[in-house]
Each structure stands twice: as structure tokens, then as C-alpha cells.
Amino acid sequence: MPRPASPVVATPVLRLTGLGWSVRGVPIVEDVSFSVGEGEFIAFIGPNGAGKTSLFNLISGICPASAGSLELDGADITAESVHARARRGLGRTFQTSSLWPATTVADHVRLAAQAAAGPRASYRIWRRADRYADQVAETLARTELAHRADTPASALSHGEKRKLELAVLLVSDPRLILLDEPMAGVSAEEVPALTELIRSVHRDLGRTVLMVEHHMDVLLGLADRVAVMHHGTLLALDTPDAVMADATVQQAYLGEAL
Amino acid sequence: GTAGTNAADGGGAKSPVKVGLVYSRTGPLAAYGKQYLEGFKAGLSYATKGSGAVDGHRIEIEEQDDAGDPAKAVSAAKDLIGKGHKILAGSTASGVALQVGPIAAQNKVLFISGPAAADKVTGLNKYTFRSGRQSYQDIRTAASFIGDAKGSKVTVLAQDNAFGQANVAAVKAVLGAQGATVDAVLAPPSATDLTPFATQARTAKPDLLFVAWAGDTSAALWTALNQQDVFAETKVVTGLDLAASYPLFGPAGEKISFLNHYFGGAAGTPVEKAMDEAVTAAGGKSDIFTPDGFTAAQLIVHAVEANHGSADDTSALVKALEGWSFDGVKGRTTVRAEDHALLQPMFQVKLTGNGAAARPSVARTLTADEVAPPVTPMAG
Amino acid sequence: MPAAALLSVRDLRVVIDGLHILHGVDLDVAPTGVTALLGRNGAGKTTTVKAVMGLVPRTGSVRFAGTELVSLPTHLVVRQGIGYAPEDRGIFAGLTVAENLRLAERDRDAEPAYHLVHELFPELKQRAGQLAGTLSGGQQQMVAIGRTLLNRNRLIIADEPTKGLAPKIVAEVADVLARAAEAVPVLLVEQNLALVRRLAGTCAVLADGRTAHRGDTAELLADEDAARRLLGVGGRRPGPPAVTEEVNP
Amino acid sequence: MDTVVLLSCTGLGLGALYFLVASGLSLIFGLMDVLNFAHGALLSVGAYATWWAGTEAGLSFWLAVPFGTLVGTAAAVLLELFLIRPLYSRPRDQILATVGVGLAVPALLMGVWGADARPFPQPALLSGTWHVLGATVPVNRFVLVAAAGLLLLALRLFLARTRYGLIVRAGVEDRAMVTALGIDVRRAFTLVFAIGGAAAALGGALGGLYFGSVNPGQGTGLLIFAFVVVVMGGMGSVTGAAVASVCVGLVQQFANYYTTAGLGDLSVVVLLAVLLLVRPRGLTGRLA
Amino acid sequence: MHGSLRWWPIALLILLLVIPYSALPVPGLLDGPLGSPGSLQLIALCLLYGALATGYDLLLGRTGLLSFGHALYFATGLYATNLGMLELGLPFAAAAAFGVACAVALALLLGSVSLRVTGIGFSMVTLAFAQAGSILVQRNPGGITGGEEGRSAPAGRLPSALLGIENTANLYWIALAYLVLTLAAVHWAVGSPIGRVWQGIKENERRVEVLGLRPYGYKLVAFVLAGALAAVGGVVYLLLTGGATPQAATSDATLSLLVMVVLGGSGTRWGPLLGGVLYTWAGHRLGDLANSAAVADLPAVLRVPLSQPLFLLGGLFVAVVYLLPGGLARLPARIRAARSVRSARSAGPVGATGARPTGGSPA
Ligand SMILES: Nc1ncnc2c1ncn2[C@@H]1O[C@H](COP(=O)(O)OP(=O)(O)OP(=O)(O)O)[C@@H](O)[C@H]1O
Ligand SMILES: Nc1ncnc2c1ncn2[C@@H]1O[C@H](COP(=O)(O)OP(=O)(O)OP(=O)(O)O)[C@@H](O)[C@H]1O
Ligand SMILES: [Mg+2]
Ligand SMILES: [Mg+2]
């Protein structure tokens, strides 16, 4: 499938303007600006400590921006809290999987579905909680977790945890998805399936995706554009081919192949 | 006389009189509870002349521990009443007495409160009596230290809690009425550093400083009063508690004028002698609240005797006790009919010696009338 | 070859909470160079290493340079001269980088080899005062490896030292390990087969809590069938559960 | 004027007492993450041991205090060995076990020596007063302040100059990993607990001096203020606890005296609530 | 086996319903026969505390909030109801409604303040507020609380069916009704959408936020609901003990609730109830054991500690924490697990030497 060499950003889903974050005067993310178009897939690469996770924390609101601004669908969300941003349709996963250890797989998805129905739905103390059965079943089937529905998260294998993170994300049907190293620690044999799942979310559902990943072969097959981060700044944002050919990237990130 | 011999004959056959004791066997007031129980046993044996029975009806005692907690006391009282006890006694703590009293009234059983000193127990209801003294009698004993109160200045040093507030009110009522100016230095009950309050008491320069203090900080208080040199210019009066507390006054002990409910050997009456012998024989030692137990037993035996060994009719028991006057441990003792106050002598006491060597001696005995509390209308 | 092994593990078994995790692992670590421990996710590599260190209850025999380790508590195992970089890095998040390193100083008589660590990872010198919990994943890995290089160890055990590292750092870590292995033998647990191919002379492969294969690394990786069968490269199969994941964001 | 001086001096003395009580708690909480509800029991053990040595056994006060501290330390070591250590993998249960000990030990003391306060030995040297700017201040307040200062210094030196502070802090995060660095972490934990216990017992012994008496509930009664001080100081910062102790002591002393109803402890409670709402990490801002 | 297990709550309820009509003696467990007033009073107290612990576990075990100030709401319900009758002259029912309303308002106010901090900070702020309440009650402001002596409930304003020993059964019914109410409320809430959010908050609060839910509001609901249940408990307590005493407001009271919950098993359906019942029963009966002739005859080394009920209680608690992690409610599961291990062990090969790990669970 041919990809546009330089996608036209018609309706930016996300726009960052001069975004920065520093801790006790030390800049961690500095002056990052870019726009993400509807349905786009951007992969982030960069050396360890470049600020990729920190950038995701800024976008999802876990860290407060100390400079610049952030727009989601044209609305300024710079000062909004984590949950307010999530309600606008921003979903994310974490670099180390972040789940409720004693909660079952199905209940994870159910709570996510409930949360997606708005905060009011969760206050309905007079209702029963066993709703959203269709959504849960569908999502579990899509992520191939149906056979683990009643297993608590702590008993899942690493790959399954990664899938469950995606399931929790998918059921709330976010507009914008942030994935932080979804392949880390996943064994070689599980990588293709997980890649396929992410691809289908992006391509079949048309979701906008930002992803941090060190597995080059994975991201080259997925991304429309690749962003390179270095020392907290955005070094380059271009098509995969162009980025891979860039000498600075070669030197700062990839190094010579093993 | 004859009743006693009859009892010996048919003792086993007649239905026993069940008396329930709800008192602090454990908890913070356990020492008082122990004295009370020893006194009660001595009193029972004294009043029944060693038979443990009235008119052939054995007096059976069932003890329950309240650990100083009113909720536990209420449960225990209900348990005892449910098991058919018509007479309850005990209540080491005022909080317990004030909670158990209404239960007794609701169930129409006789309740004889023990060492609990709260004035509110007097006149609480028709079924509640007391076998000890009340705060008001303490205050009147304190008042006796200044001969003519008119124009004199009295300061009350107390903790800002129910006990302290009640003492301030009582001093105002007693000495204020006699023309004294009364003011108060109130310290928070939780305050541990009492030096500033001691200086406050000194700068007030009263003729009489009445200290109403209970609890764990008393040693700190007396040290502070001594260090701030309060005794040089002021007569200091306070209550003398159980023997174990004498050393806590430290060097101040000899400079204080004590009012006292009772200490072992204070009264010098034949009844006291009987009590002391019985308590000593049982391995105990007479102390401040031993007479309260002794008197409770006397009251119970008298009420049951008046009803020929039956405790079934509570009103008759009450009637028998109201207005009864008898020779108690401390001397002539009267149950006032109107509000069930127990009129009894009180003591002015001096301590001689320091620390563990401190010994009390009676300076003056006040008659029951001299220290009688005012009549409170019966509440219910 | 096995006769001269530095570390030799025989019939190692581990049961946790009633779950049998290792059913008899045999393993020899050569007295020089890198020995690789391979296997699919959940095969029991990490558990084997932890059992050697005494971090999980174990039975069987673990002989290290003539000493039986199986009844020793962990700190005495380490004092035999074993440096350990665990899978999840074992960083003390609330301590600074410098404190993390200082904690690892062990030898009373020898100077800790800070020069070596700082030469390999200059970042750690710059970030000495930073709380280790705020380091990026790769920086944490540097601390973990740095700690094993600080003391004069007779064996280094590294459990997936390149997990989560940028390709460039992976290459650098490979260099570090290669250099370290010149002086100290290394037992390396690794998913990255390219790295294994480059470093490891001999290897052992675990499957389902047992040793499935032992031998020369190059031979194994050259034999495509065996590689697929033992390492699952290319094949597809759901992995067994892994319980040891942390859950904080 | 002299009232203010008196209140300041005695407030400092009270603060010193709070610090003596809280320092061990803070150390144990800060390093080991154990909220030690048995700390009050350790105080009482120290106080009773000192009292026993000073009266029943007839030792001089200057020998009784070290004896009491020693007994308290031994009690702390036993507590650590038999209760805290087996529960390291269950931090919440550790707290609960100490709650149980905190209930049982005062009850035991009450069973043996009765519920009533016992007069505490007061050496003549310390029972006098000093005149400071017109105020008559008891000497033992200065003794408390000096002891608290020395203790603060000693604890800071221990934490800064030895590896133990580091080991225990790391051990709280991940015990297994500390052992995997070749360190016998259990010994370090026991040592820290013993030091905390020693501080508590010393606090108990000097508290007896302060109150002039000992009773079984004394330690537990002080515990709540010790908690307040530890939290205000920033959860386990010993220096923070010292600052907070002084603040609490002074505020309480002045508020007790100048407000009509004696609002000392209420003002402390309000102070704590406000501080936590404004600075959730306490004065020194260590981990919350 | 599981079929029969599902029915035991109903069987238990039926048992509880017939107790007042039974004269069965249960020597050792109770002092008198089952239906006697003393036993009914004790069982009612046990049920009351079982319910209180269940309500408290809504915070501790279900939402992960360690509050040290729960007794404040219990005491507010207790005192406000009593004062409603004594000072405002309200009839009992109105006073009870007033008391619960006061507690709910207070929980709403203090909860919204203290939930602004998390972790041990939250525990300490709640402790501080409860301590302030306790001090206030003891201080006897304006003479209305009665200070350390407390105040007894005005018999005149209470329905006559609740007075007197012969009506102890009615108090028992009220306590039982309160228990059923609490269990129903807690179980219903936990099974509702908000209960699912609570569980999420307990296990990983940040993760809940990332889903778009603000934990604060949900925690506040839990706090107020638990406070309201505690307040109703306070009203029941007033009826059972006939008065309001300051012991109810102390931090020790909260600590006892904590002990009960842990004893039974926090976060489990029946654990807190079990813990509350056992703790209360032991608190009353251990005194009898401590004072029994068997103890009195022991040598002093044993007699002195054993005659202190609080020592026994503290020791018992330590033993439970030590030997029964997860509380009594998890005991059956643990036994089952132990059994399966033993059978697995005897089937599988047995290793020659064993070594215990030095650390706790590997990180
Ligand atoms: N709270 C903090 N305080 C101080 N420094 C921080 C903090 N959080 C992150 N950093 C620093 O910011 C830099 C960026 O970290 P970040 O986690 O964003 O890196 P990353 O690009 O995701 O790296 P990796 O690929 O290794 O995960 C690192 O150097 C890290 O040490
Ligand atoms: N503490 C534990 N409790 C229960 N099961 C465990 C525990 N630790 C490990 N396991 C299980 O033992 C098996 C082996 O785990 P181990 O971590 O040793 O695998 P690994 O080979 O290191 O895998 P990976 O490549 O994912 O790191 C897995 O199925 C895991 O779920
Ligand atoms: Mg990252
Ligand atoms: Mg592993």
C-alpha cells in the first residue's frame, strides 16, 4: 500500500507549540512543536533518556508543561488534568505495564468501558456493574484474550499484559492513542501478532497513533512518519526512509548494526 | 438476734438473694476496685455477723468487670438483671455510675453506686443510692480550712474537664455564698507542662488555693507548685487519694492541707476496727475506698433484712434505705431520704514524712452535718 | 569442557507457592568468555539465575569454584565473587545514582573500580546526584551493569541487560560485556540473538523449566531447525504467564 | 515578659521531650517504612526499667538511665527479631503486629506494677530551678533540651557517616536486591530498630524525669504527638522531626496558656491538618 | 460443595433470627443461655461491631483508604442523636435522623478536605480531625457533652419498647437490622459501577485517571457512605448502651475497627463482620477468662499477664497477624492451598536439600 510521502495535515488532532518541561531548572523536554493529522501514525525513536516517555507524559497530562501549549482537536488542553484529557479521547499505555494486579482481564475491560461512558455512569451506585458485556466480549476477541477473561492481571504473561493494556485502551475507543514501547520484553514469537493488532487499530479503525519503540523493523512497517528525539528536543520528523538515511540519526541513535 | 440463729438452721433451703457487683477489676481504676471489693466482703461478713445470709437467705455475689468502660458496665448490668439480680452495686468510675443508674431505674432494681464521686449520682433517680462521698462533701471539707470566708480570696486550680469544672462550680457555690471571691486557673487536661499554671496560681496570691487534680500529671503539678514557691504565701488544699499516691506529692506533701474521705485508721470507730481486721485477715489493707464497699454491704444487708430476706420488692428495699441512719466505718452515717445523699463525716489530714515514708494523720474530723451537700430534687 | 566449569548447576528445582517452576536445570558456565542462557519467554531463565543467587527457594546443586552455594543465603553467595545485574535492573529508585553505586561497593581491601564504570558510562558521572527512579530505562540499565563492574568479581550474571535499550546502546553494552568477559566470565541471559551470536561461545537453552540443549552457540544458531524448535524464532505460540511484572506507571 | 520567657523555655523543653519520643519513630519510619505503633510500648519499657533500677534496685539515677535505655534497646531488638523480621514481605501486617504489641505491653506493665502512677527518682541535681530573665525554669527542662540536641547530632552522624542509612533505605525498596549486592540486610535492619528503640527508651526515661512519675499509659499517650511531629517533619526526616518538635512544643505551650479553653492540643491538630493540606509532604518535603 | 457454601449466609441469618427464642446454653462462649438478656446484649454488640467493621472496610479494603478517624463519624451519630433528644427536645426518630445528617455533613466536609492528600498524609489528617473531635467531646463545651463522664440517653424520649431488660430482644433486632443494612449497602455498592472504580483506585489510582475518571469524587462517595453507615451504628450504640461516652470518639476506637477488619480479612465479603464479632466477643469474654479461677491458681509469671484482658487481646491480635495473613476469611483458601501443595509434593520428586531465600519475594 503506497503511503503519501509527506502527509498533508488537514485537521490536526494534536498540536504542540513550543512544549517544554524542566525539573529543578534542568530541561528534560525542550521546545517541541509539531502537529498530528487525523489517522496518522507517528513513531518516536531516540536514545535512552532522550525524553520520549517524558513527552508522552506531557501530552497525557501526567507531567505539567512548564512551557508552551498543547491543543487537542483545536481546544487548548495545556492546563487540563489527566482525566479531563482522557475524557477528550486521549488514551495511553505505559512503558512498564500498568494494570490492576488483582482485577481480572474482563473486569479491566469492563471498567474501561464504563469509564468511556462518562464519569456519571460510574457514580450510579444503584445499578449493577455487570454491563457492557458486548463491548467486553468484542474487545477480548479482538485482542485474543477471551480465554483469559477470568484471570487476574498479575497471573498474565508479559505478552498478555501488553495485549490487555491495548484492550483497555481500545474499548474506550480513543481518538488519539499513545503507545510507550509496546514491544519491550515481548518474546520474538509474539512480536508479529502484537504488531498486527496495532496495525489493525490504526488502519481498520482509523485511529491516530503515536508510538515509542526501539524495534526498528516493527515501526518501519507501521509508521507514516518517524520522529527522532535527542536531548529532549525533536531532532527530525520525516518519512521513515528519510529518517533512516539521516546521518545524524545513524550516529546518535542506531549506531553500527550488530 | 433470733433472725441470725434461724438463718443458720434453714440456710440452704431458702432462696438466695442475688447481688451483682459491676466494678473495675482491671483498667485504670483497678486499684480502687480492689479496695472496694475487699471492703464489700468485709462489710457483708460484718453485717450478717459472719453468716453471709439474711433470715436464712444466702447473699450470693456475682462479680463483673467493667474495666472502667461504661459500655461494658451497661452490658454487664443488663446481663445481671437478666439473670434475676435485683440488687446491683459497684461503679468505681463516675461515667459508669451515671450510665448504670438509668438502667437500674428502667428495670426497677436497686443500684448502690460505689466510689464514683460525681454529684449528679445523688438524686439521679429513686433506685440509685451511693455508698461513698460526693465531690460536694470534698469541697465543704476544703472550705473548712478557712474559718471565715468573708472577704477572703480563693483560687481553684483544676483541669478543664468535667471533674475540674464541677469542682470550680462547687467552690463558687459553697465559698462564694459565704462571701469569698472565687476565681479559677484551669489547665487543659492534656497539658503536661504545668509550670505556667503554677506561676499563674502564685501571681493570683489567693488566701486559699484549692487544687482539684486527677490523673497522671499530679506529680508534675506538685513539683511545679513547689518549684514556683506557691506554698510560701498561700494555704494549699487538695484531696488525699489512696496510699500509693502519697509519694507523688514529693517534698510538697508536708506543706499541703488535705481534705480526705478516708485513709486506713482515720476514723477510730469500732466499725472501722472490724473492717480493718477483716480486710487484713483477707490479705488486704484498708485504704480510701474500702469503706465504700463496706458501706454498700451494710446498706444491702439492711434493706434485705427489712424485707425479711427478700429482695423481690425493690420499692420496699428503697423505702427501707431512705432515711436510714447507722454506725458506719467513718462514724454516724445517714442516707438522706430526699435525694439519697450519704451524709458522713470527713477529715482534715496532714502528711508527715517524705516520699515513701509519708504518713497521714487526722487534724480534725468534720461531722456529717458540717459537710452535708445541699438537697437536690430527685430526677426520676 | 564441563569438567573445568566455573559454575556448575545440577538438577536445580524451584517451587514457588506450590507452583513447580524449574524441574531440573543443568548448566555449566565456562571459566572464560560468555556463556548464554536462552529460551522463550517464561522458560525459566530468570528463575534459574535467581535460584543460583539464592533469591528463590531451591533444591539441587550449585557448585561455584568448588563451593556448594545451594545452602548459602544470598549475601554470602554474592561474597563468593558473583556480580548480578537482574532482569528488572534492581535499581533503588529513591536513592541517587551515586548512592546506588556506593551501595554495591563490597571489597574492603580493593578500591572500587569507579574509573572503569565512569569510562564506560560517562552519563553516570554526570547524573551522580539524580534520583535513580527518574532515570530513563536505558540509564537505569547502565547503573545495573555498572554495579557489577565495581567489584573484583569472579563471575558476572547479567539477565537481559539490553532490554529496552536503544540500538546504539545495545551495541555499546555488547562491547562492554565483551571487554568485561576478557577478564571475568559472564553468564548472559538474552533474547537478542544477534548479540548472543557475537558474544557467547557456549550456551544452554531452557524450555519449560528444564535444560533442553547445551552446546556451542554458533552451531545452534546455524542449525535453523534446532533454533526454531528451541528458541521459537518464527514459530507462534502463546507464552506462559509471567507474574513478576511491576505495575506502577 | 517573664511569662513569655517561661513559656518559651518550657515550650522548648516540651519540644525536646517530643523530639526524644519522635526521633526513634521517625528513624524507623523513614528508613524501614514501619509505622511503629509499639513505639509507645518501648517508651514505657524504658521508663519502667529506669524507674525500677532507680527505686527497687537502688541504683543511682545516673546508672538507672543507661540501664533503662539498655533494657529498651533489648526490647526493641527482640521485637524486631521475632515480630518485624518475619513479616518483612507483608508491610501492612508489620504495622498491625506493632499495634498488638502496643496494646499488650502497657497492659502487662499494668498487671505487674498496677495502673497508678509511680514516683520517678529525681536526683537532687536536677530537681532545682534556674532563674532566666525573671522566670523560674525547672532544671530538667534544660537537661531535656541538651539530651535532644545530642541525640539529633548522634542520629545525623549515624546516617551521614555510616552505610547503614543507605542500606536500610535501599532495603525498604527492595530487600532481595540489597542482599544480591552481598549485604546482610537483616543485620542493618536490626541495628536501626535497636537505635530507634534506644532513642525511645531514653525518651521514656527522661520523660519520667519530666513528669515526675511513670504510669503504664504514659508512652502511648505521647505517641500521638510523636506521630504528629513525624508527619509534620516530613515522614522520616530526623532533622524535620526536630524542627517540628520545637514548633509543636512552643505552639502548644503558648496556646495552652493564652487561649481561654486551653486550646493547645487542638491548635497542634489544626496546625498538622493545615500543613498537610498546604504542603502534603511535610516541612522538609521528603517522600509522602 | 460450592452449592452448599453459597447458602450459608442465609442459614446464618436464620440462626440469628431464632436466637432470641432459644434458651440453649452455650457454656464457655456465653455467660447465660442464648436468649437471655445478657447474651442478647453481647450478641447485639458483636453484630453492631461486625457491621461497623464492614462499613469501615469500605474504605480500607475496598478503596484502599487507611483512615484513622472513622470513630469520629460513629461518635457524631452517637452524640448528635443524644443531644438532639437532650438539648433540642426532639423525639427519638427525629433525633436519629438529625444525628445521621450531622455525621454525613461532617463526613462530606472533612472528607473533601482530607482527600486532597494521599497516602500516609491522608491517614494523619483523618487522625488529626478525629483527635480534635475527641478532645472537643472530652472538653465538655458548654456542658453539653458531659465530658469524660458522658451523658445517658433520656429514657423519657425513647420509645418504651426499647427500655428495660425485658425488651433487650428489640435492641437485638435493631442491631441485626443494622447489620443487614450495612452488609446490603456495602455489597451492593461494591457490586455497582462505583465499586469497580473503587477497586481500580485501590490497586492503581493513576491508571483510573488515565481512563478519564477523577478518583477524588469516587473516594469522597466512599468516605461519606462509610461515614453515614458509622453514624447509624452510633445511633444503634446509643440504644444498646443507653448513653454517649467519650470512649466512642477516641482514636483507640478507630484502631479497634482496624484490628477487627484485619482479624477477619480486609477486602473480603464476610471477613470484617467475622473480625468485628470475634473481637467484641473476645473483648467481653477475655475479661472473664482473665478473672477465672483457673488463671487465679497459676504461678505469678503466668497469672499476671493472663489476668489482663488487653494483654490477651493484644497477644491474640499479634498471633492472628503472624499466623493468619489475610485474616480469618482467607483461612479456608489457605488450607486448601496447603493441601494441594502437600499432595503435589508427595506425588512429585522431593529435593534433597532445601534452602530458604534470605529476601522476601523477589522484586
Ligand atoms: N522526575 C524527573 N526528575 C529528573 N529527571 C527526570 C525525571 N523524569 C525524567 N527525567 C530525566 O529525563 C530524561 C528523559 O527521560 P525519559 O523517560 O523521557 O526517556 P525516554 O526517552 O523514554 O528513554 P527510554 O527509551 O530509556 O525509556 C532522562 O534523562 C531522565 O533521567
Ligand atoms: N514468583 C513467581 N510466582 C509464580 N510464578 C512465577 C514466579 N516467578 C516466575 N514464575 C513463572 O515461572 C515461569 C518462568 O519465569 P521466568 O521469569 O524464569 O522466565 P524467563 O525465561 O526469564 O522469561 P522472560 O524471557 O519473559 O524473562 C513463568 O511462567 C512465570 O510466570
Ligand atoms: Mg521511555
Ligand atoms: Mg526473564
Side-chain angles (χ1 to χ4, degrees), chain B residues 290-306:
Chain B
T290 322
D292 297 39
F294 194 91
T295 308
Q298 282 182 301
L299 293 174
I300 290 168
V301 170
H302 171 73
V304 176
E305 245 166 14

mmCIF file of all heavy atoms in Angstrom, chain B residues 290-306:
data_model
loop_
_atom_site.group_PDB
_atom_site.id
_atom_site.type_symbol
_atom_site.label_atom_id
_atom_site.label_comp_id
_atom_site.label_asym_id
_atom_site.label_seq_id
_atom_site.Cartn_x
_atom_site.Cartn_y
_atom_site.Cartn_z
ATOM 1 N N THR B 290 -12.045 1.517 100.717
ATOM 2 C CA THR B 290 -12.510 0.311 101.391
ATOM 3 C C THR B 290 -13.855 0.549 102.085
ATOM 4 O O THR B 290 -14.748 -0.302 102.010
ATOM 5 C CB THR B 290 -11.455 -0.185 102.396
ATOM 6 O OG1 THR B 290 -10.159 0.013 101.838
ATOM 7 C CG2 THR B 290 -11.642 -1.641 102.717
ATOM 8 N N PRO B 291 -14.047 1.712 102.744
ATOM 9 C CA PRO B 291 -15.343 1.936 103.400
ATOM 10 C C PRO B 291 -16.506 1.957 102.417
ATOM 11 O O PRO B 291 -17.628 1.600 102.779
ATOM 12 C CB PRO B 291 -15.186 3.324 104.035
ATOM 13 C CG PRO B 291 -13.739 3.591 104.093
ATOM 14 C CD PRO B 291 -13.113 2.831 102.970
ATOM 15 N N ASP B 292 -16.258 2.379 101.163
ATOM 16 C CA ASP B 292 -17.369 2.437 100.208
ATOM 17 C C ASP B 292 -17.937 1.048 99.966
ATOM 18 O O ASP B 292 -19.154 0.863 99.867
ATOM 19 C CB ASP B 292 -16.891 3.041 98.877
ATOM 20 C CG ASP B 292 -16.425 4.473 99.044
ATOM 21 O OD1 ASP B 292 -15.788 4.752 100.082
ATOM 22 O OD2 ASP B 292 -16.690 5.298 98.171
ATOM 23 N N GLY B 293 -17.057 0.066 99.862
ATOM 24 C CA GLY B 293 -17.524 -1.302 99.698
ATOM 25 C C GLY B 293 -18.218 -1.789 100.967
ATOM 26 O O GLY B 293 -19.281 -2.412 100.925
ATOM 27 N N PHE B 294 -17.592 -1.456 102.095
ATOM 28 C CA PHE B 294 -18.141 -1.888 103.380
ATOM 29 C C PHE B 294 -19.549 -1.330 103.561
ATOM 30 O O PHE B 294 -20.497 -2.047 103.887
ATOM 31 C CB PHE B 294 -17.210 -1.392 104.493
ATOM 32 C CG PHE B 294 -17.457 -2.037 105.816
ATOM 33 C CD1 PHE B 294 -16.781 -3.196 106.184
ATOM 34 C CD2 PHE B 294 -18.389 -1.503 106.709
ATOM 35 C CE1 PHE B 294 -17.009 -3.787 107.411
ATOM 36 C CE2 PHE B 294 -18.626 -2.100 107.931
ATOM 37 C CZ PHE B 294 -17.931 -3.243 108.282
ATOM 38 N N THR B 295 -19.691 -0.036 103.314
ATOM 39 C CA THR B 295 -20.990 0.621 103.482
ATOM 40 C C THR B 295 -22.016 0.033 102.523
ATOM 41 O O THR B 295 -23.184 -0.170 102.890
ATOM 42 C CB THR B 295 -20.827 2.130 103.232
ATOM 43 O OG1 THR B 295 -19.759 2.611 104.029
ATOM 44 C CG2 THR B 295 -22.104 2.865 103.564
ATOM 45 N N ALA B 296 -21.595 -0.232 101.276
ATOM 46 C CA ALA B 296 -22.531 -0.807 100.313
ATOM 47 C C ALA B 296 -23.111 -2.109 100.863
ATOM 48 O O ALA B 296 -24.323 -2.355 100.795
ATOM 49 C CB ALA B 296 -21.829 -1.056 98.987
ATOM 50 N N ALA B 297 -22.243 -2.928 101.448
ATOM 51 C CA ALA B 297 -22.719 -4.198 102.002
ATOM 52 C C ALA B 297 -23.673 -3.944 103.159
ATOM 53 O O ALA B 297 -24.714 -4.610 103.283
ATOM 54 C CB ALA B 297 -21.528 -5.034 102.448
ATOM 55 N N GLN B 298 -23.332 -2.967 103.983
ATOM 56 C CA GLN B 298 -24.226 -2.645 105.102
ATOM 57 C C GLN B 298 -25.604 -2.236 104.595
ATOM 58 O O GLN B 298 -26.634 -2.689 105.101
ATOM 59 C CB GLN B 298 -23.628 -1.487 105.929
ATOM 60 C CG GLN B 298 -22.509 -1.908 106.861
ATOM 61 C CD GLN B 298 -22.013 -0.724 107.676
ATOM 62 O OE1 GLN B 298 -21.568 0.268 107.106
ATOM 63 N NE2 GLN B 298 -22.105 -0.826 108.993
ATOM 64 N N LEU B 299 -25.617 -1.374 103.565
ATOM 65 C CA LEU B 299 -26.887 -0.900 103.032
ATOM 66 C C LEU B 299 -27.701 -2.063 102.488
ATOM 67 O O LEU B 299 -28.909 -2.185 102.733
ATOM 68 C CB LEU B 299 -26.646 0.122 101.919
ATOM 69 C CG LEU B 299 -26.023 1.460 102.337
ATOM 70 C CD1 LEU B 299 -25.705 2.315 101.108
ATOM 71 C CD2 LEU B 299 -26.948 2.230 103.269
ATOM 72 N N ILE B 300 -27.040 -2.936 101.757
ATOM 73 C CA ILE B 300 -27.756 -4.045 101.124
ATOM 74 C C ILE B 300 -28.340 -4.971 102.190
ATOM 75 O O ILE B 300 -29.520 -5.341 102.149
ATOM 76 C CB ILE B 300 -26.811 -4.815 100.177
ATOM 77 C CG1 ILE B 300 -26.486 -3.951 98.972
ATOM 78 C CG2 ILE B 300 -27.421 -6.136 99.755
ATOM 79 C CD1 ILE B 300 -25.361 -4.474 98.114
ATOM 80 N N VAL B 301 -27.495 -5.314 103.146
ATOM 81 C CA VAL B 301 -27.976 -6.236 104.178
ATOM 82 C C VAL B 301 -29.148 -5.611 104.941
ATOM 83 O O VAL B 301 -30.154 -6.271 105.199
ATOM 84 C CB VAL B 301 -26.831 -6.613 105.133
ATOM 85 C CG1 VAL B 301 -27.370 -7.367 106.344
ATOM 86 C CG2 VAL B 301 -25.797 -7.448 104.399
ATOM 87 N N HIS B 302 -29.036 -4.313 105.212
ATOM 88 C CA HIS B 302 -30.136 -3.667 105.934
ATOM 89 C C HIS B 302 -31.421 -3.717 105.115
ATOM 90 O O HIS B 302 -32.499 -4.057 105.628
ATOM 91 C CB HIS B 302 -29.786 -2.209 106.248
ATOM 92 C CG HIS B 302 -30.952 -1.435 106.798
ATOM 93 N ND1 HIS B 302 -31.427 -1.628 108.089
ATOM 94 C CD2 HIS B 302 -31.772 -0.506 106.233
ATOM 95 C CE1 HIS B 302 -32.456 -0.840 108.288
ATOM 96 N NE2 HIS B 302 -32.701 -0.149 107.180
ATOM 97 N N ALA B 303 -31.332 -3.392 103.830
ATOM 98 C CA ALA B 303 -32.537 -3.374 103.008
ATOM 99 C C ALA B 303 -33.161 -4.759 102.940
ATOM 100 O O ALA B 303 -34.385 -4.917 103.036
ATOM 101 C CB ALA B 303 -32.180 -2.885 101.602
ATOM 102 N N VAL B 304 -32.331 -5.773 102.819
ATOM 103 C CA VAL B 304 -32.855 -7.131 102.701
ATOM 104 C C VAL B 304 -33.428 -7.586 104.043
ATOM 105 O O VAL B 304 -34.490 -8.226 104.091
ATOM 106 C CB VAL B 304 -31.753 -8.095 102.223
ATOM 107 C CG1 VAL B 304 -32.265 -9.526 102.185
ATOM 108 C CG2 VAL B 304 -31.262 -7.682 100.844
ATOM 109 N N GLU B 305 -32.734 -7.194 105.103
ATOM 110 C CA GLU B 305 -33.223 -7.550 106.438
ATOM 111 C C GLU B 305 -34.616 -6.982 106.668
ATOM 112 O O GLU B 305 -35.513 -7.660 107.165
ATOM 113 C CB GLU B 305 -32.269 -6.995 107.497
ATOM 114 C CG GLU B 305 -31.552 -8.075 108.294
ATOM 115 C CD GLU B 305 -30.388 -7.498 109.077
ATOM 116 O OE1 GLU B 305 -30.295 -6.263 109.209
ATOM 117 O OE2 GLU B 305 -29.561 -8.283 109.531
ATOM 118 N N ALA B 306 -34.776 -5.722 106.264
ATOM 119 C CA ALA B 306 -36.066 -5.065 106.476
ATOM 120 C C ALA B 306 -37.172 -5.764 105.707
ATOM 121 O O ALA B 306 -38.349 -5.616 106.009
ATOM 122 C CB ALA B 306 -35.964 -3.606 106.062
#
